[in-house]
Amino acid sequence: MRREFTIIPPDLRLVVPVLAIILLAGMVGIGFAAREAPWAWLAGIVLVLSGVFIVWTVRRRHVVLDGDLLTIAAGVNTARIRMADVDIAAARVVNLADHSKLKPGLKTFGTAMPGFQAGHFRLRNRSRAFVLLTDRTKVLALPERSGRMLLLSL
């Protein structure tokens, strides 16, 4: 049995300004550099490709339960977890404003920007977590038997 879960879309009012500021600042810097070296405009191609990569990262998010396998695609990361490794009895829906120990802290590998966090993080309580967060008010906290947490905005 295959079941796909809906991910709350990120608030683009937070993501788009960050992307626009990065692209604008990069183009201004390239413009100044191009006065000395005309080939510097080639860096604009890298800048545009970086913007496309950021958009792809924010749009790539899905959670699928296929039999005994939970697959979470979050940005450039994908986690595949057997349901036998998840402690379903301890699962709960939380508001991260009320549970500060579950808030992602240090990003070890992933994507983090206002309104969107995806990938591997260390939580404030120093435990490991795989997160896909777009809304911090309704977060499914699934503990794994290994000690790692799954935090999902479903």
Side-chain angles (χ1 to χ4, degrees):
M1 179 176 109
R2 181 179 169 90
R3 182 168 179 203
E4 293 190 32
F5 296 93
T6 304
I7 305 296
I8 300 169
D11 187 1
L12 294 180
R13 293 176 298 173
L14 300 173
V15 175
V16 170
V18 170
L19 182 61
I21 289 169
I22 291 170
L23 290 175
L24 181 63
M27 291 307 286
V28 167
I30 290 169
F32 282 120
R35 288 194 277 170
E36 299 293 323
W39 52 267
W41 284 108
L42 294 175
I45 295 170
V46 174
L47 189 63
V48 169
L49 289 175
S50 299
V52 169
F53 179 74
I54 290 171
V55 169
W56 174 80
T57 300
V58 171
R59 292 184 51 88
R60 184 178 182 265
R61 59 188 190 282
H62 65 270
V63 176
V64 177
L65 179 61
D66 192 5
D68 185 41
L69 186 66
L70 180 66
T71 304
I72 306 164
V76 296
N77 300 289
T78 301
R80 291 179 181 85
I81 301 106
R82 292 180 330 131
M83 289 308 293
D85 296 336
V86 177
D87 187 7
I88 298 294
R92 60 186 194 260
V93 177
V94 298
N95 183 342
L96 290 184
D98 301 332
H99 294 83
S100 62
K101 289 185 178 184
L102 292 178
K103 286 183 181 178
L106 177 67
K107 175 181 61 172
T108 55
F109 185 73
T111 305
M113 61 182 69
F116 182 76
Q117 289 180 307
H120 301 274
F121 287 78
R122 288 281 181 171
L123 301 179
R124 300 271 168 101
N125 65 4
R126 298 192 180 176
S127 65
R128 296 180 313 126
F130 188 85
V131 306
L132 176 53
L133 295 176
T134 56
D135 180 9
R136 294 171 159 256
T137 59
K138 297 179 205 167
V139 177
L140 175 63
L142 285 170
E144 290 186 59
R145 299 193 195 287
S146 65
R148 182 174 80 163
M149 290 289 292
L150 300 172
L151 298 177
L152 309 170
S153 294
L154 299 178

